[in-house]
PDB file of all heavy atoms in Angstrom:
ATOM      1  N   SER A  36      79.656  92.293  97.881  1.00  0.00           N
ATOM      2  CA  SER A  36      79.675  91.099  98.711  1.00  0.00           C
ATOM      3  C   SER A  36      78.343  90.986  99.437  1.00  0.00           C
ATOM      4  O   SER A  36      77.861  91.965 100.007  1.00  0.00           O
ATOM      5  CB  SER A  36      80.826  91.186  99.712  1.00  0.00           C
ATOM      6  OG  SER A  36      80.834  90.063 100.554  1.00  0.00           O
ATOM      7  N   GLU A  37      77.765  89.798  99.401  1.00  0.00           N
ATOM      8  CA  GLU A  37      76.489  89.556 100.074  1.00  0.00           C
ATOM      9  C   GLU A  37      76.570  88.235 100.817  1.00  0.00           C
ATOM     10  O   GLU A  37      77.114  87.254 100.310  1.00  0.00           O
ATOM     11  CB  GLU A  37      75.359  89.497  99.038  1.00  0.00           C
ATOM     12  CG  GLU A  37      73.989  89.321  99.640  1.00  0.00           C
ATOM     13  CD  GLU A  37      72.908  89.316  98.580  1.00  0.00           C
ATOM     14  OE1 GLU A  37      72.828  90.297  97.826  1.00  0.00           O
ATOM     15  OE2 GLU A  37      72.172  88.322  98.517  1.00  0.00           O
ATOM     16  N   SER A  38      76.029  88.225 102.031  1.00  0.00           N
ATOM     17  CA  SER A  38      76.038  87.020 102.847  1.00  0.00           C
ATOM     18  C   SER A  38      74.813  87.018 103.751  1.00  0.00           C
ATOM     19  O   SER A  38      74.345  88.079 104.175  1.00  0.00           O
ATOM     20  CB  SER A  38      77.314  86.967 103.691  1.00  0.00           C
ATOM     21  OG  SER A  38      77.285  85.855 104.554  1.00  0.00           O
ATOM     22  N   ASP A  39      74.295  85.825 104.048  1.00  0.00           N
ATOM     23  CA  ASP A  39      73.152  85.713 104.948  1.00  0.00           C
ATOM     24  C   ASP A  39      73.478  86.205 106.353  1.00  0.00           C
ATOM     25  O   ASP A  39      72.628  86.693 107.065  1.00  0.00           O
ATOM     26  CB  ASP A  39      72.670  84.260 105.039  1.00  0.00           C
ATOM     27  CG  ASP A  39      71.980  83.800 103.773  1.00  0.00           C
ATOM     28  OD1 ASP A  39      71.609  84.657 102.953  1.00  0.00           O
ATOM     29  OD2 ASP A  39      71.825  82.575 103.605  1.00  0.00           O
ATOM     30  N   GLY A  40      74.737  86.105 106.763  1.00  0.00           N
ATOM     31  CA  GLY A  40      75.124  86.443 108.125  1.00  0.00           C
ATOM     32  C   GLY A  40      75.551  87.885 108.341  1.00  0.00           C
ATOM     33  O   GLY A  40      75.906  88.268 109.451  1.00  0.00           O
ATOM     34  N   SER A  41      75.540  88.728 107.303  1.00  0.00           N
ATOM     35  CA  SER A  41      75.996  90.111 107.473  1.00  0.00           C
ATOM     36  C   SER A  41      75.300  91.016 106.465  1.00  0.00           C
ATOM     37  O   SER A  41      74.625  90.554 105.544  1.00  0.00           O
ATOM     38  CB  SER A  41      77.514  90.201 107.299  1.00  0.00           C
ATOM     39  OG  SER A  41      77.871  89.873 105.978  1.00  0.00           O
ATOM     40  N   GLU A  42      75.511  92.323 106.631  1.00  0.00           N
ATOM     41  CA  GLU A  42      74.958  93.306 105.698  1.00  0.00           C
ATOM     42  C   GLU A  42      75.694  93.236 104.358  1.00  0.00           C
ATOM     43  O   GLU A  42      76.855  92.838 104.299  1.00  0.00           O
ATOM     44  CB  GLU A  42      75.116  94.726 106.280  1.00  0.00           C
ATOM     45  CG  GLU A  42      74.272  94.994 107.507  1.00  0.00           C
ATOM     46  CD  GLU A  42      72.801  95.137 107.178  1.00  0.00           C
ATOM     47  OE1 GLU A  42      72.462  95.480 106.040  1.00  0.00           O
ATOM     48  OE2 GLU A  42      71.980  94.877 108.077  1.00  0.00           O
ATOM     49  N   ASP A  43      75.002  93.620 103.298  1.00  0.00           N
ATOM     50  CA  ASP A  43      75.631  93.698 101.975  1.00  0.00           C
ATOM     51  C   ASP A  43      76.711  94.776 101.998  1.00  0.00           C
ATOM     52  O   ASP A  43      76.580  95.784 102.679  1.00  0.00           O
ATOM     53  CB  ASP A  43      74.603  94.040 100.905  1.00  0.00           C
ATOM     54  CG  ASP A  43      73.508  92.996 100.803  1.00  0.00           C
ATOM     55  OD1 ASP A  43      73.663  91.924 101.400  1.00  0.00           O
ATOM     56  OD2 ASP A  43      72.504  93.272 100.131  1.00  0.00           O
ATOM     57  N   LEU A  44      77.762  94.562 101.247  1.00  0.00           N
ATOM     58  CA  LEU A  44      78.870  95.509 101.191  1.00  0.00           C
ATOM     59  C   LEU A  44      79.198  95.788  99.723  1.00  0.00           C
ATOM     60  O   LEU A  44      79.437  94.867  98.951  1.00  0.00           O
ATOM     61  CB  LEU A  44      80.093  94.927 101.897  1.00  0.00           C
ATOM     62  CG  LEU A  44      81.337  95.777 101.947  1.00  0.00           C
ATOM     63  CD1 LEU A  44      81.093  97.013 102.802  1.00  0.00           C
ATOM     64  CD2 LEU A  44      82.496  94.983 102.502  1.00  0.00           C
ATOM     65  N   MET A  45      79.186  97.079  99.337  1.00  0.00           N
ATOM     66  CA  MET A  45      79.507  97.460  97.970  1.00  0.00           C
ATOM     67  C   MET A  45      80.533  98.589  98.001  1.00  0.00           C
ATOM     68  O   MET A  45      80.362  99.562  98.723  1.00  0.00           O
ATOM     69  CB  MET A  45      78.264  97.923  97.217  1.00  0.00           C
ATOM     70  CG  MET A  45      78.559  98.286  95.780  1.00  0.00           C
ATOM     71  SD  MET A  45      77.107  98.603  94.753  1.00  0.00           S
ATOM     72  CE  MET A  45      76.340  99.946  95.603  1.00  0.00           C
ATOM     73  N   THR A  46      81.590  98.448  97.215  1.00  0.00           N
ATOM     74  CA  THR A  46      82.633  99.462  97.113  1.00  0.00           C
ATOM     75  C   THR A  46      82.823  99.840  95.647  1.00  0.00           C
ATOM     76  O   THR A  46      82.992  98.968  94.799  1.00  0.00           O
ATOM     77  CB  THR A  46      83.962  98.948  97.696  1.00  0.00           C
ATOM     78  OG1 THR A  46      83.775  98.568  99.046  1.00  0.00           O
ATOM     79  CG2 THR A  46      85.036 100.016  97.622  1.00  0.00           C
ATOM     80  N   ASN A  47      82.769 101.141  95.366  1.00  0.00           N
ATOM     81  CA  ASN A  47      83.059 101.685  94.040  1.00  0.00           C
ATOM     82  C   ASN A  47      84.334 102.507  94.143  1.00  0.00           C
ATOM     83  O   ASN A  47      84.452 103.353  95.019  1.00  0.00           O
ATOM     84  CB  ASN A  47      81.933 102.617  93.570  1.00  0.00           C
ATOM     85  CG  ASN A  47      80.757 101.858  93.026  1.00  0.00           C
ATOM     86  OD1 ASN A  47      80.849 101.261  91.979  1.00  0.00           O
ATOM     87  ND2 ASN A  47      79.654 101.876  93.762  1.00  0.00           N
ATOM     88  N   SER A  48      85.280 102.260  93.257  1.00  0.00           N
ATOM     89  CA  SER A  48      86.520 103.024  93.222  1.00  0.00           C
ATOM     90  C   SER A  48      86.727 103.557  91.808  1.00  0.00           C
ATOM     91  O   SER A  48      86.665 102.796  90.842  1.00  0.00           O
ATOM     92  CB  SER A  48      87.713 102.156  93.612  1.00  0.00           C
ATOM     93  OG  SER A  48      87.570 101.667  94.929  1.00  0.00           O
ATOM     94  N   LEU A  49      86.961 104.852  91.707  1.00  0.00           N
ATOM     95  CA  LEU A  49      87.228 105.502  90.424  1.00  0.00           C
ATOM     96  C   LEU A  49      88.629 106.101  90.461  1.00  0.00           C
ATOM     97  O   LEU A  49      89.037 106.662  91.472  1.00  0.00           O
ATOM     98  CB  LEU A  49      86.218 106.615  90.157  1.00  0.00           C
ATOM     99  CG  LEU A  49      84.760 106.207  90.111  1.00  0.00           C
ATOM    100  CD1 LEU A  49      83.867 107.441  90.070  1.00  0.00           C
ATOM    101  CD2 LEU A  49      84.498 105.332  88.906  1.00  0.00           C
ATOM    102  N   LYS A  50      89.365 105.975  89.352  1.00  0.00           N
ATOM    103  CA  LYS A  50      90.711 106.526  89.294  1.00  0.00           C
ATOM    104  C   LYS A  50      90.940 107.101  87.904  1.00  0.00           C
ATOM    105  O   LYS A  50      90.541 106.507  86.906  1.00  0.00           O
ATOM    106  CB  LYS A  50      91.737 105.445  89.601  1.00  0.00           C
ATOM    107  CG  LYS A  50      93.162 105.949  89.639  1.00  0.00           C
ATOM    108  CD  LYS A  50      94.130 104.891  90.110  1.00  0.00           C
ATOM    109  CE  LYS A  50      94.295 103.798  89.112  1.00  0.00           C
ATOM    110  NZ  LYS A  50      95.407 102.888  89.400  1.00  0.00           N
TER     111      LYS A  50
END
Side-chain angles (χ1 to χ4, degrees):
S36 178
E37 183 178 303
S38 176
D39 288 344
S41 65
E42 292 287 336
D43 299 349
L44 180 66
M45 182 171 59
T46 302
N47 280 291
S48 299
L49 301 171
K50 183 173 70 169

